[in-house]
Amino acid sequence: QVQLVESGGGLVQPGGSLRLSCAASGFTFTFSSYILRWYRQAPGSQRELVARIISGGSTNYADSVKGRFTISRDNAKNTVYLQMNSLKPEDTAVYYCNMFQLRDYWGQGTQVTVSS
């Protein structure tokens, strides 16, 4: 079965940085073939797409995080990362990873709180 395990969240002051990780297992095809995505959901808000990376390495970002967040992948470790810099209070949310081709599967998420 497919499993996604997010980690790396925590409490950070505005302007700080965090690096999120998502380890995947149980998928059918080689990890490098999957489009990988990071989502986030704040209390009372709709889950939104934050970043995406395709198998070839091209990336896309939401306007709200562009220039501050960087998505990357390590195919040998079956892991996708989200480097988060210059964090703002509005970045506070639970962050989830997802595979486009296996979109029904979600991990437990990891909480990111940006506050003074």
Side-chain angles (χ1 to χ4, degrees):
Q1 65 278 15
V2 176
Q3 290 185 317
L4 300 169
V5 181
E6 299 95 340
S7 62
L11 175 64
V12 64
Q13 294 182 348
S17 298
L18 287 172
R19 191 194 193 203
L20 308 183
S21 299
C22 174
S25 63
F27 46 86
T28 301
F29 302 105
T30 182
F31 185 76
S32 63
S33 68
Y34 291 97
I35 298 170
L36 306 173
R37 308 183 291 191
W38 281 100
Y39 286 80
R40 68 184 181 187
Q41 187 168 24
S45 300
Q46 187 176 6
R47 186 173 298 185
E48 65 173 342
L49 178 64
V50 174
R52 168 170 35 202
I53 184 167
I54 67 172
S55 58
S58 296
T59 58
N60 297 101
Y61 300 93
D63 289 340
S64 59
V65 307
K66 193 171 185 178
R68 300 186 297 117
F69 290 9
T70 303
I71 187 172
S72 62
R73 63 196 297 163
D74 188 335
N75 292 327
K77 296 182 178 180
N78 297 336
T79 300
V80 60
Y81 304 96
L82 186 67
Q83 179 66 46
M84 309 163 66
N85 298 326
S86 302
L87 284 162
K88 304 175 180 180
E90 52 262 46
D91 295 320
T92 296
V94 178
Y95 284 72
Y96 302 88
C97 66
N98 180 255
M99 309 170 80
F100 175 77
Q101 296 94 328
L102 298 169
R103 58 205 310 161
D104 291 335
Y105 294 91
W106 300 88
Q108 82 287 352
T110 184
Q111 176 71 51
V112 172
T113 303
V114 185
S115 176
S116 298

